[in-house]
Amino acid sequence: MKTKFIFLLLLVVQLQSFAQNITAKIVDAQSNEPLPYANIRINGSTDLISNNEGYFNISENGLEETSVLKISFIGYISKQLTYAELKNQNFLILLTPASFEIDNITISNKKPDPYQIIAEVKNRLKENYKHHQTATKSKLFFRESSAFKPSKLDLDITKSTGFNKNQLKEANADLKKFSNKLTNKPTQEFKDILCNYYYGKAVNKENKTYFYPKMEVIKATNIKGDGTTTSLEDFEKSGAELLLKHLDTTKFYRVKSGLFGSRDTVTLNNSYKKKNKKKATSKLTSTKISLQTFLAEQQFNSNKLDFITKSDLYTYTYGGSIFNDANNEIIYILKFAPKKSKAIYTGTLFINESDYAVIKCNYELAEGKKVNGFNMKFLLGIKASENVSKGTILFKKDAQLKYYQLHYAYEESGQYFYINRPLKFIELTKEERDVVALDIKVEGNSITKTELLNITKSEISDADFENFKETDFNFIQLKRYDPAIWQNHVSIEPLEAMKQYRVTDDY
């Protein structure tokens, strides 16, 4: 009998180990077009999202044939089905557009005033999106990708007293290889993080409210090759190390760039580097800062998303009304665009008629606009501008707390850069100095994409928050996306570009 029990126990464990994540797709039933950012709720508690290609993934762990999935998308009839029905449909979900116009059933024929609507939205921001007053625990999935794409890259050694003939030849060969690699095959980095994010009770100091979050990383992956350049900072560091390795490893150098003064001392002397090594910021701290910054930017009272709080800068157009079948709400559609030069965004707001809460927002830079810029091309040889800024934000109303919280956010930012300036490595010595001078000409773009999914949220006691102790974590380093890593976990289904990306051995 005991042997039989052990056999059954082992069988259960083995079956659980075979549980995997499956992928499903949501499309328009009439056009067969994918529906991006549709909401999927499992058994009334776990929230998922479809990606920009209409796909989402779901873990079979804990799912039963009778588990219920509710799929909703603004302007479409919601659908509810069991996991067994989803499998019978070959993991394809068809949503049907609402077949009637709300304008046809409103009592008044008068078209709503968009400026009155936006005024109500603005007046109710604090009420609709107020912070939770007790400690909470949220399970979040956070993805960040970055790419460095130079269109032009020239690195020329103009002076080389610090190099002998062979060193100069090797250095030039390395610089040529480095520049060709970056221009011919731009590199990317993908970070995926699943975590528990804790918010403590709000603390009021000097008429300001402060929140002190804590973070527990459940799993984190990073797709990036060794030495891969995915930012201007990486580019500068990689280029300096490339030249430095050809110089005398026992010597110390000061780096000077253009009209600027000398920078920190650099060397390959290991004893000096160890002695003067700056304490690195922990992965937990840097990740938490990134997450905090991203969450703050998704609020309508942030300095970035000003198209509600600074309504005098924008024009608003009423775009009709649709029915949100998910919560039986009428939704106003408002289009916005710059009216004054300080306004930079254009986009669409989806607003609940009952409480004037924005439940969805699409925004992007208007034509000819940029977030910021710096042009000292002729004086310092530097020009840069943030010329890409767009995103989608979704909010959901908490059924118990009666206020809205962030459900999903996607943000894409891009920078144009131009650098044309000299770089010198000058030996630190009173005797005759080694000097290596380099001309750098680089032009291109860098792109960062970030998205966040709020999977679950629950209240916890203040004691639970205080007693939780944070610990650092390490990324699982990958050369390509591996869905098995996220087996039995909730994640956002990656786009095809991420699935196809490979880190090659030459990085």
Side-chain angles (χ1 to χ4, degrees):
M1 185 71 178
K2 184 178 180 180
T3 303
K4 184 177 180 181
F5 173 77
I6 294 175
F7 172 77
L8 290 174
L9 181 62
L10 289 174
L11 180 62
V12 170
V13 172
Q14 187 178 28
L15 287 174
Q16 288 180 338
S17 68
F18 284 126
Q20 58 183 345
N21 283 26
I22 57 93
T23 301
K25 188 175 185 181
I26 304 172
V27 301
D28 183 302
Q30 296 177 358
S31 67
N32 209 36
E33 291 294 318
L35 295 179
Y37 314 130
N39 180 60
I40 304 98
R41 174 158 264 216
I42 303 174
N43 291 330
S45 59
T46 301
D47 286 307
L48 306 178
I49 198 85
S50 63
N51 67 15
N52 197 44
E53 296 164 350
Y55 290 101
F56 69 94
N57 67 55
I58 180 173
S59 171
E60 288 185 322
N61 187 33
L63 273 182
E64 299 177 351
E65 296 289 296
T66 56
S67 294
V68 176
L69 290 77
K70 185 174 182 180
I71 296 88
S72 58
F73 190 85
I74 296 176
Y76 286 73
I77 299 173
S78 298
K79 178 169 286 190
Q80 185 169 296
L81 70 165
T82 65
Y83 180 53
E85 291 171 330
L86 179 62
K87 289 196 293 184
N88 289 335
Q89 295 175 190
N90 294 320
F91 301 102
L92 181 65
I93 300 169
L94 308 177
L95 291 188
T96 304
S99 59
F100 58 90
E101 288 287 337
I102 293 299
D103 290 338
N104 294 334
I105 61 172
T106 51
I107 297 175
S108 172
N109 290 326
K110 185 178 179 181
K111 183 181 292 187
D113 185 338
Y115 293 93
Q116 289 182 356
I117 294 174
I118 203 67
E120 285 292 339
V121 170
K122 186 176 179 179
N123 290 336
R124 301 195 193 191
L125 280 179
K126 289 185 178 180
E127 177 185 345
N128 284 326
Y129 305 98
K130 60 186 178 183
H131 286 286
H132 200 28
Q133 298 303 307
T134 60
T136 60
K137 173 184 175 181
S138 297
K139 179 172 284 188
L140 306 176
F141 184 85
F142 185 63
R143 172 173 291 149
E144 186 176 61
S145 65
S146 55
F148 182 77
K149 301 179 179 180
S151 57
K152 180 186 297 183
L153 179 54
D154 296 322
L155 303 174
D156 297 316
I157 296 176
T158 57
K159 188 174 183 179
S160 58
T161 63
F163 285 152
N164 59 37
K165 187 176 181 180
N166 288 334
Q167 285 176 315
L168 181 60
K169 184 177 180 180
E170 291 175 0
N172 276 318
D174 278 352
L175 288 173
K176 186 67 175 177
K177 181 181 178 182
F178 178 64
S179 60
N180 286 342
K181 180 179 68 174
L182 285 180
T183 53
N184 296 333
K185 191 175 182 181
T187 57
Q188 299 182 62
E189 179 181 16
F190 300 90
K191 291 181 181 178
D192 282 356
I193 299 168
L194 179 67
C195 67
N196 288 322
Y197 196 71
Y198 299 83
Y199 256 132
K201 190 175 181 179
V203 177
N204 294 312
K205 290 182 180 180
E206 299 177 354
N207 297 322
K208 290 185 178 181
T209 302
Y210 296 90
F211 297 89
Y212 299 96
K214 294 181 179 182
M215 188 174 181
E216 175 189 20
V217 174
I218 301 169
K219 182 168 284 190
T221 64
N222 187 16
I223 304 175
K224 181 182 180 181
D226 294 336
T228 300
T229 299
T230 57
S231 67
L232 275 173
E233 184 179 355
D234 287 344
F235 166 74
E236 182 180 16
K237 182 180 177 182
S238 298
E241 290 180 349
L242 190 64
L243 276 181
L244 198 61
K245 78 175 187 178
H246 293 286
L247 296 171
D248 192 329
T249 59
T250 65
K251 295 180 179 180
F252 299 87
Y253 299 87
R254 184 74 71 179
V255 180
K256 186 175 182 180
S257 179
L259 299 178
F260 292 118
S262 297
R263 303 184 186 180
D264 293 339
T265 299
V266 295
T267 181
L268 287 182
N269 187 300
N270 289 329
S271 60
Y272 176 86
K273 289 169 72 176
K274 288 179 181 179
K275 180 181 176 181
N276 294 276
K277 185 178 181 180
K278 296 179 181 178
K279 186 177 180 180
T281 304
S282 72
K283 292 183 179 65
L284 184 76
T285 299
S286 59
T287 301
K288 189 164 65 171
I289 291 173
S290 295
L291 185 53
Q292 282 180 270
T293 302
F294 181 75
L295 288 169
E297 289 179 344
Q298 310 315 307
Q299 305 301 316
F300 292 126
N301 58 0
S302 69
N303 292 328
K304 179 180 179 180
L305 306 182
D306 63 355
F307 37 77
I308 292 177
T309 56
K310 297 181 180 180
S311 53
D312 58 312
L313 301 180
Y314 290 87
T315 59
Y316 300 89
T317 306
Y318 177 68
S321 301
I322 56 177
F323 186 67
N324 187 13
D325 183 64
N327 54 9
N328 295 318
E329 287 272 11
I330 295 174
I331 306 296
Y332 293 134
I333 300 175
L334 250 60
K335 306 281 187 179
F336 60 90
K339 179 173 67 175
K340 298 183 179 180
S341 60
K342 289 184 178 180
I344 60 174
Y345 288 109
T346 182
T348 307
L349 301 170
F350 297 82
I351 302 164
N352 272 344
E353 183 195 42
S354 61
D355 56 13
Y356 292 92
V358 177
I359 60 172
K360 182 178 180 180
C361 170
N362 297 322
Y363 66 92
E364 63 180 340
L365 287 178
E367 186 175 356
K369 297 288 185 177
K370 59 185 178 182
V371 177
N372 53 52
F374 176 82
N375 190 355
M376 300 293 285
K377 187 173 182 179
F378 297 105
L379 181 61
L380 299 178
I382 298 176
K383 181 179 179 180
S385 65
E386 186 174 348
N387 56 0
V388 177
S389 180
K390 60 183 178 180
T392 294
I393 313 174
L394 300 175
F395 288 90
K396 290 188 68 175
K397 191 171 188 177
D398 189 295
Q400 294 180 329
L401 302 173
K402 307 299 183 184
Y403 68 87
Y404 291 83
Q405 61 183 12
L406 183 67
H407 168 49
Y408 172 81
Y410 170 82
E411 178 182 277
E412 180 176 339
S413 60
Q415 293 78 34
Y416 162 82
F417 54 83
Y418 171 89
I419 300 173
N420 184 359
R421 57 192 297 102
L423 186 70
K424 287 185 179 180
F425 287 77
I426 305 172
E427 182 188 356
L428 292 176
T429 179
K430 294 181 179 179
E431 308 299 329
E432 186 177 351
R433 299 179 178 184
D434 284 346
V435 177
V436 175
L438 178 74
D439 268 348
I440 299 175
K441 297 177 183 177
V442 56
E443 184 176 14
N445 295 276
S446 62
I447 296 289
T448 300
K449 300 177 182 179
T450 310
E451 55 185 331
L452 177 140
L453 172 64
N454 191 340
I455 302 165
T456 59
K457 184 174 184 177
S458 59
E459 292 185 7
I460 58 174
S461 67
D462 292 338
D464 286 340
F465 177 81
E466 294 298 331
N467 292 333
F468 174 73
K469 303 299 181 184
E470 293 180 305
T471 57
D472 204 8
F473 71 97
N474 287 313
F475 284 98
I476 300 171
Q477 299 294 331
L478 304 174
K479 288 187 175 292
R480 57 176 293 184
Y481 175 74
D482 183 3
I485 291 287
W486 297 103
Q487 184 173 306
N488 301 330
H489 291 292
V490 174
S491 64
I492 300 174
E493 180 71 9
L495 298 177
E496 193 62 29
M498 179 177 172
K499 293 179 182 179
Q500 296 299 324
Y501 184 73
R502 304 285 188 275
V503 175
T504 56
D505 293 334
D506 60 342
Y507 285 109

